[in-house]
Amino acid sequence: MTDKGDGMTPEQKARVSIDALLTQAGWHVCDMAHADIHAERGVALRELQALETEA
């Protein structure tokens, strides 16, 4: 689903907004492929997949 013809889904728009807020707060935001947990004091990883566990 896209909104207002910009080609972005509501989830993609939220990710852009959240990433900008984290960056403004001093966090280093990166994809898992470019993760360096020692790059900054605060590192946020995008789209981190949780491990599946049995209930």
Side-chain angles (χ1 to χ4, degrees):
M1 173 195 286
T2 60
D3 188 38
K4 298 183 181 179
D6 61 8
M8 293 177 67
T9 66
E11 182 179 43
Q12 290 168 326
K13 288 179 181 182
R15 170 57 41 216
V16 169
S17 177
I18 291 167
D19 287 356
L21 291 170
L22 285 167
T23 300
Q24 290 172 10
W27 287 75
H28 173 69
V29 181
C30 60
D31 293 316
M32 195 61 182
H34 301 103
D36 178 2
I37 61 169
H38 304 291
E40 303 284 336
R41 183 171 180 173
V43 177
L45 301 176
R46 285 187 200 102
E47 305 291 329
L48 183 62
Q49 298 296 317
L51 297 174
E52 291 186 26
T53 61
E54 293 184 30

